[in-house]
Amino acid sequence: MDMAADIPSDHFISRRIDIGRITLNVREKGNGPSMLFFHGITSNSAVFEPLMARLSDRFTTIAVDQRGHGLSAKPESGYEADDYADDIAGLLRTLDRGRAILVGHSLGARNSVTAAAKYPDLVRSVVAIDFTPYIETEVFDALEARVVAGDQLFDNVAAVEAYLARRYPNIPADAIKIRAQSGYQTVEGGLRPLASAAAMAQTARGLRSDLAAAFREVTKPVLIVRGEASKLVSAAALAKTSRLRPDLPVVVVPGADHYVNEVSPEITLKAITNFIDA
Amino acid sequence: MDMAADIPSDHFISRRIDIGRITLNVREKGNGPSMLFFHGITSNSAVFEPLMARLSDRFTTIAVDQRGHGLSAKPESGYEADDYADDIAGLLRTLDRGRAILVGHSLGARNSVTAAAKYPDLVRSVVAIDFTPYIETEVFDALEARVVAGDQLFDNVAAVEAYLARRYPNIPADAIKIRAQSGYQTVEGGLRPLASAAAMAQTARGLRSDLAAAFREVTKPVLIVRGEASKLVSAAALAKTSRLRPDLPVVVVPGADHYVNEVSPEITLKAITNFIDA
């Protein structure tokens, strides 16, 4: 947590930004209009490096460690959709770079759509990857169990990688490596997740809150992306979401599970640019 | 065919443009970046007036009578995909207003995607409404039969409206009126379609040509729009198209048949702006 500001890492700038309500860690690369990235639960900003490397030639790409995650602050409470969305609004106001494209995966998609609905003046558009309203209770039960089970002590990075490869069987080895190297800290006896266990438990519960209102109300363009083999967003949940908002474009990525941007970065990249460049 | 240039009609300007290879009639309204509209087989530019009325506050909206249709020239032959696409390229070069957004329905969607694949430097993006590769042979058989059957002599506009209402049972009365008033000419003994029967027969046959290559090759963003109750683009044809190009966003309009923009203009409008404004 004592990482100095503005350390370049593989050409990414890592810096901490005090937005008043909280201090957030971000990774940044490139120039142009703002494109912000928001990761899923237990993850962190590093997972977007492959996409940022490809988009930073024409966008200021900024991936955010959301509250409770990565190198950002981890308050004891405040992990509802509104807390995360208010962080996005505060960050966008602090950055003061104009309306931003928000790319969110899972928790990050929920937070991005919530922010776009609540703060339309700050947002240009949203790419919402594999999180929709109408996710079934038993799916949330399974997600919560996986999230809680991640709070372990690991002997070393190899043990972390082995665990992550079992937990995410479709994510390629290079993307697993990014998660292993970016998401853990050295503690007495080994490595533990950077993500706060208490924050993860609250965040997992908060994911169950109704999201239909935000999807119904959002006036900014939202691209809905689903992994065809996703165990989080069922085909039924997507169909019901499309009935709620038939005007929102949908991309279903063949062969991808929930972790669309890590499993299928090329299709994700093309889907983003097809949406943004239209 | 002796319509004078630049006659305003309900605030739409109708004019004929000589693009060298052919003379095309267009309806125009508004200011801003170019958005061109291309109708389906047997139809004409007037069907897009409701969309143009809503989009002309920020786009130069230009709906085109395609060759063989409406008030445009009707050569004896030359009704393949390339002929229509080359007209689009010629028109865009003659207009010389920069890259255009192409909105096409059915035949117009086929022509727009073909033009975008062949002339990427002239096109910004495409909204392709209810026409994809992999349409089944029996669907084309039925379409060709309907097209050929349209070549009739009608007593008066009321008879035209009654015929169109039977042929297009889901298109609302106001949109049927637009088709009846814009698509027919007074002849000895009554009214006949403006669309040339010989051109329609050739165009219907030409629709059967393989479209997968153009969809595979197109590099510009394409929004695929399908009417959920379409009898032209089956769910299977759409699914196969999405497998060919999983990165292209899809909107499926509930309750709409093939004639999406006339049956569901509000959702069509929102789908277009969600795509264009992202």
Side-chain angles (χ1 to χ4, degrees):
Chain A
M1 300 300 285
D2 56 356
M3 192 172 190
D6 293 27
I7 297 177
S9 145
D10 268 352
H11 310 295
F12 290 85
I13 303 292
S14 184
R15 62 175 173 129
R16 295 169 64 81
I17 303 179
D18 179 355
I19 63 167
R21 52 187 271 110
I22 196 167
T23 296
L24 297 174
N25 186 72
V26 305
R27 283 160 211 257
E28 197 171 324
K29 185 181 171 76
N31 286 292
S34 297
M35 185 182 282
L36 271 68
F37 296 82
F38 300 92
H39 57 77
I41 187 166
T42 76
S43 181
N44 73 86
S45 57
V47 296
F48 291 111
E49 283 185 2
L51 282 181
M52 294 168 74
R54 299 285 293 276
L55 289 159
S56 54
D57 56 336
R58 51 197 199 99
F59 293 99
T60 302
T61 62
I62 302 172
V64 181
D65 286 347
Q66 297 179 94
R67 61 169 53 213
H69 296 80
L71 300 174
S72 287
K74 300 174 178 73
E76 286 194 9
S77 64
Y79 293 95
E80 297 298 323
D82 276 346
D83 300 309
Y84 282 104
D86 292 354
D87 286 354
I88 295 177
L91 178 61
L92 291 171
R93 288 196 182 108
T94 304
L95 291 170
D96 195 23
R97 294 167 177 273
R99 292 184 192 207
I101 300 160
L102 310 183
V103 178
H105 171 242
S106 198
L107 168 69
R110 193 277 308 262
N111 299 343
S112 296
V113 173
T114 304
K118 206 171 168 185
Y119 305 101
D121 292 348
L122 298 173
V123 176
R124 174 173 143 185
S125 57
V126 176
V127 177
I129 303 174
D130 222 65
F131 202 91
T132 64
Y134 312 120
I135 294 172
E136 298 82 358
T137 301
E138 58 273 24
V139 173
F140 282 126
D141 294 344
L143 172 68
E144 204 165 333
R146 281 197 305 279
V147 164
V148 170
D151 182 38
Q152 301 177 25
L153 179 68
F154 297 91
D155 285 343
N156 50 42
V157 176
V160 171
E161 282 184 26
Y163 162 74
L164 292 175
R166 279 196 308 277
R167 179 166 164 185
Y168 308 116
N170 295 307
I171 297 183
D174 53 351
I176 289 288
K177 251 187 220 311
I178 291 175
R179 280 192 178 241
Q181 287 167 2
S182 64
Y184 294 80
Q185 59 188 324
T186 305
V187 294
E188 180 75 32
L191 292 167
R192 290 200 78 89
L194 276 170
S196 143
M200 295 309 95
Q202 293 172 67
T203 299
R205 283 199 297 278
L207 286 175
R208 298 174 187 260
S209 297
D210 178 47
L211 187 56
F215 266 78
R216 187 184 301 113
E217 288 160 20
V218 66
T219 56
K220 315 306 292 189
V222 177
L223 175 66
I224 299 172
V225 179
R226 174 180 177 254
E228 194 175 32
S230 175
K231 287 177 182 153
L232 201 88
V233 175
S234 65
L238 176 63
K240 207 170 164 189
T241 301
S242 284
R243 207 149 280 277
L244 178 70
R245 286 298 303 270
D247 58 310
L248 296 183
V250 174
V251 159
V252 176
V253 179
D257 61 7
H258 175 58
Y259 304 92
V260 182
N261 46 292
E262 289 165 277
V263 172
S264 303
E266 284 302 320
I267 295 179
T268 304
L269 181 75
K270 282 188 193 164
I272 291 172
T273 55
N274 282 333
F275 182 56
I276 295 306
D277 294 342
Chain B
M1 300 300 283
D2 56 356
M3 193 172 190
D6 293 25
I7 297 177
S9 144
D10 268 351
H11 311 293
F12 291 86
I13 303 292
S14 184
R15 62 177 174 130
R16 295 168 64 80
I17 303 179
D18 179 355
I19 64 167
R21 52 187 270 110
I22 196 166
T23 296
L24 297 174
N25 186 73
V26 305
R27 283 160 211 256
E28 198 172 322
K29 186 181 170 76
N31 287 291
S34 298
M35 185 181 283
L36 272 67
F37 295 83
F38 300 92
H39 58 76
I41 187 167
T42 76
S43 181
N44 73 86
S45 57
V47 296
F48 291 111
E49 283 185 3
L51 281 181
M52 294 167 73
R54 298 285 293 277
L55 289 159
S56 53
D57 56 335
R58 51 197 199 99
F59 293 100
T60 302
T61 62
I62 302 172
V64 182
D65 287 347
Q66 296 179 95
R67 61 170 53 213
H69 295 81
L71 300 174
S72 288
K74 302 176 177 71
E76 286 195 7
S77 65
Y79 293 96
E80 297 298 323
D82 277 346
D83 300 309
Y84 282 105
D86 292 353
D87 286 353
I88 294 177
L91 178 61
L92 291 171
R93 288 195 182 108
T94 304
L95 291 170
D96 194 22
R97 293 169 178 271
R99 292 186 191 203
I101 300 160
L102 310 182
V103 178
H105 171 241
S106 198
L107 167 70
R110 192 277 308 264
N111 299 342
S112 296
V113 172
T114 305
K118 207 171 168 184
Y119 306 102
D121 292 348
L122 299 173
V123 175
R124 174 172 143 184
S125 57
V126 176
V127 177
I129 304 174
D130 222 66
F131 202 91
T132 65
Y134 312 121
I135 294 172
E136 299 82 358
T137 301
E138 58 273 22
V139 172
F140 282 125
D141 294 345
L143 172 68
E144 205 165 330
R146 282 197 305 276
V147 165
V148 170
D151 182 38
Q152 302 177 26
L153 180 68
F154 297 91
D155 286 343
N156 49 43
V157 176
V160 171
E161 282 184 25
Y163 162 74
L164 293 174
R166 279 196 309 276
R167 179 166 163 184
Y168 308 115
N170 294 308
I171 297 183
D174 53 350
I176 290 288
K177 252 188 220 308
I178 291 176
R179 281 193 178 241
Q181 287 168 2
S182 64
Y184 295 80
Q185 58 187 324
T186 305
V187 294
E188 181 74 32
L191 293 166
R192 291 199 79 89
L194 277 170
S196 143
M200 295 310 95
Q202 293 172 68
T203 299
R205 282 199 298 277
L207 286 175
R208 297 173 186 262
S209 298
D210 178 47
L211 187 58
F215 265 79
R216 187 184 301 113
E217 288 159 20
V218 67
T219 57
K220 314 307 291 188
V222 177
L223 175 66
I224 299 172
V225 179
R226 174 180 177 253
E228 194 174 33
S230 175
K231 286 176 183 155
L232 202 89
V233 175
S234 66
L238 175 64
K240 208 170 163 190
T241 301
S242 284
R243 208 149 279 277
L244 178 69
R245 284 298 303 269
D247 59 310
L248 296 183
V250 174
V251 158
V252 176
V253 179
D257 62 8
H258 176 58
Y259 304 93
V260 182
N261 45 293
E262 290 164 276
V263 172
S264 303
E266 284 301 320
I267 295 179
T268 304
L269 180 75
K270 281 189 195 164
I272 292 172
T273 55
N274 282 334
F275 183 55
I276 295 304
D277 294 341

